C-alpha cells in the first residue's frame, strides 16, 4: 500500500528536534501498523494533523471500511498532534479513544483531520473527523493522550513491538 510520503512539519518543530540531534522528517512515520494499513501523514502540526488511508485492504467481511481501521487512523493522527504539542521533552501515550461510526465506505480513500480540543501540560485531547472522498463524515473520534517526560531509553524503536 504505497510508500510513506514526506510529512510536512512546521519549520520551528523541525528546528526544535534538530537542536536535540533528531532529524524529525527522516525519523517520522505512521508506525509499523499505520504503514501496513497504508496510512499517509500529509500535514503535521500541533494544531492540525491530516492523513489518509485506503479503504481497500482495511475492510471487514461485508466489504465496508473496518471500524478498527478508522480507529487506527484516528489514534495515529491524534497521537502525532499530541506529540507535537508536548514537544521533544515529552512522549504522547494514548489513554482513551472513542469512535462513532456514521456511515459505511466500500472503496477509495478516507481522510482524517485531527484538531485539538484540549492541550495541557500533562494531557492532550484531539477530535479526529474522518471523511470519504465526497467529504461525507464517516467517523468522529476523540483521543486523549498522556504527556509524560522522556526517560532514558525512550528512543525510536528499532524493532516492531512484540515482534
Amino acid at each position: 500500500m504505497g510508500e510513506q510520503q514526506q510529512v510536512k512539519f512546521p519549520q520551528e518543530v523541525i528546528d526544535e528536534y534538530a537542536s536535540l540531534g533528531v532529524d524529525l522528517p527522516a525519523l517520522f512515520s505512521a508506525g509499523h501498523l499505520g504503514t501496513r494499513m497504508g496510512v499517509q501523514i500529509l500535514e503535521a502540526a500541533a494544531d492540525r494533523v491530516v492523513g489518509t488511508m485506503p479503504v481497500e485492504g482495511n475492510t471487514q467481511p461485508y466489504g465496508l471500511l473496518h471500524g478498527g481501521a478508522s480507529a487506527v487512523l484516528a489514534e495515529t493522527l491524534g497521537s502525532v498532534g499530541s506529540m507535537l504539542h508536548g514537544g521533544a521533552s515529552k512522549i504522547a501515550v494514548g489513554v482513551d479513544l472513542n469512535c462513532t461510526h456514521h456511515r459505511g465506505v466500500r472503496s477509495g480513500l478516507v481522510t482524517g483531520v485531527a484538531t485539538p480540543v484540549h492541550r495541557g501540560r500533562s494531557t492532550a485531547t484531539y477530535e479526529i473527523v474522518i471523511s470519504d472522498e465526497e467529504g461525507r463524515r464517516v467517523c468522529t473520534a476523540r483521543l486523549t493522550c498522556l504527556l509524560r517526560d522522556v526517560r532514558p531509553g525512550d528512543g525510536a524503536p528499532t524493532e516492531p513491538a512484540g515482534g
Side-chain angles (χ1 to χ4, degrees), residues 41-73:
I41 308 292
L42 306 177
E43 176 186 327
D47 62 347
R48 179 179 157 94
V49 181
V50 179
T52 62
M53 181 180 66
V55 173
E56 183 181 350
N58 294 314
T59 58
Q60 39 87 311
Y62 296 113
L64 298 170
L65 177 64
H66 196 292
S70 293
V72 167
L73 178 60

Side-chain angles (χ1 to χ4, degrees), residues 111-152:
T111 300
V113 178
T115 54
V117 174
H118 166 77
R119 291 187 293 176
R121 288 181 300 185
S122 61
T123 62
T125 300
Y126 281 75
E127 177 184 61
I128 304 92
V129 175
I130 300 173
S131 303
D132 65 14
E133 291 178 318
E134 284 78 46
R136 297 175 297 191
R137 192 177 289 224
V138 172
C139 175
T140 303
R142 189 189 69 237
L143 173 71
T144 298
C145 287
L146 172 68
L147 301 173
R148 70 166 179 78
D149 292 332
V150 173
R151 299 179 198 146

Side-chain angles (χ1 to χ4, degrees), residues 4-65:
Q4 189 71 24
Q5 294 178 351
Q6 185 76 13
V7 180
K8 297 175 187 162
F9 290 102
Q11 189 59 48
E12 63 271 13
V13 173
I14 293 171
D15 294 344
E16 176 188 1
Y17 282 81
S19 72
L20 300 169
V22 176
D23 181 355
L24 188 61
L27 172 70
F28 190 79
S29 76
H32 296 287
L33 178 59
T35 299
R36 213 171 315 151
M37 296 181 73
V39 172
Q40 299 286 319
I41 308 292
L42 306 177
E43 176 186 327
D47 62 347
R48 179 179 157 94
V49 181
V50 179
T52 62
M53 181 180 66
V55 173
E56 183 181 350
N58 294 314
T59 58
Q60 39 87 311
Y62 296 113
L64 298 170
L65 177 64

